[in-house]
Amino acid sequence: METMLGVVQVAISVIVIFLVLLHSGKDTGLSGAFGIGGGGSAFGGGSLVERNLTRWTIFFSVLWALNAMVLLKI
């Protein structure tokens, strides 16, 4: 069980890192490479995509924290 949760923790960590890198910052980061940072992107506007990206980042971050707490209790 501990090994499985450890593997899940690593997978969630990679997902969170990827999602954080996709966020546009001062210099638009990696999100500009995928067309997320611009207002007239192919995804129908940057603001909606940014909000969804933020929601997914928060979701996986909370999931990561909960998994870390479960791993500490084992």
Side-chain angles (χ1 to χ4, degrees), residues 15-16 19 23 51-61:
I15 291 170
V16 169
L19 289 172
H23 279 278
R51 277 184 294 199
N52 288 333
L53 185 59
T54 300
R55 289 178 187 145
W56 281 107
T57 304
I58 291 170
F59 171 76
F60 279 106
S61 298

Side-chain angles (χ1 to χ4, degrees), residues 1-72:
M1 184 68 166
E2 187 177 351
T3 304
M4 184 182 73
L5 288 174
V7 170
V8 169
Q9 186 75 0
V10 170
I12 294 172
S13 299
V14 170
I15 291 170
V16 169
I17 289 169
F18 181 71
L19 289 172
V20 167
L21 287 175
L22 280 177
H23 279 278
S24 61
K26 277 182 158 179
D27 300 325
T28 67
L30 288 178
S31 63
F34 297 105
I36 295 174
S41 68
F43 295 107
S47 62
L48 179 64
V49 174
E50 281 290 331
R51 277 184 294 199
N52 288 333
L53 185 59
T54 300
R55 289 178 187 145
W56 281 107
T57 304
I58 291 170
F59 171 76
F60 279 106
S61 298
V62 168
L63 194 64
W64 183 90
L66 290 174
N67 195 32
M69 285 187 239
V70 170
L71 276 171
L72 286 173

